[in-house]
Amino acid sequence: MQHILITYDVSTVSEDGKRRLRRAAKVCLDYGQRVQNSVFECQVDSAQIVEIRSRLLGVINLDRDSLRIYYLGSEWGRRVEHHGSKPGFDPEGLLLV
């Protein structure tokens, strides 16, 4: 499993852009946790990375929007610092359902 950070910026000047923004968020929520408006932390395997990239590239408009995927790897805990009001996200921590 790898820890990745997905960020996107979608132009929302049109209704189609607003739709793309919602769809991109829904795709990311299938794989991880929202940590800021258009920033998601995901714990995924190699096949899921290929899948999420493909799904997101099918949603965004490459002429108007941007997508970034940062590969933090298995040692991500030492590379991420969190400060502020929202609690940090630990994908390997306790999951209560």
Side-chain angles (χ1 to χ4, degrees):
M1 296 295 267
Q2 285 198 44
H3 197 77
I4 63 172
L5 184 73
I6 298 173
T7 68
Y8 53 81
D9 187 22
V10 175
S11 173
T12 57
V13 295
S14 68
E15 285 304 313
D16 184 51
K18 293 174 185 176
R19 189 175 315 111
R20 289 193 313 274
L21 181 67
R22 288 189 302 272
R23 289 177 61 204
K26 287 179 183 180
V27 169
C28 290
L29 285 171
D30 286 345
Y31 298 89
Q33 174 75 30
R34 181 186 298 238
V35 293
Q36 291 189 2
N37 286 338
S38 296
V39 181
F40 294 79
E41 291 183 9
C42 307
Q43 191 82 12
V44 291
D45 60 32
S46 298
Q48 289 172 313
I49 290 172
V50 170
E51 187 176 286
I52 194 169
R53 182 187 311 112
S54 174
R55 288 181 64 191
L56 285 169
L57 288 174
V59 168
I60 69 166
N61 180 326
L62 294 177
D63 293 328
R64 294 191 174 105
D65 311 328
S66 67
L67 169 67
R68 289 180 177 256
I69 301 173
Y70 297 91
Y71 298 86
L72 302 178
S74 59
E75 297 294 320
W76 66 272
R78 294 189 340 217
R79 295 184 183 121
V80 176
E81 239 182 82
H82 173 263
H83 306 278
S85 62
K86 293 182 180 179
F89 171 63
D90 181 2
E92 296 173 352
L94 179 64
L95 176 64
L96 294 175
V97 180

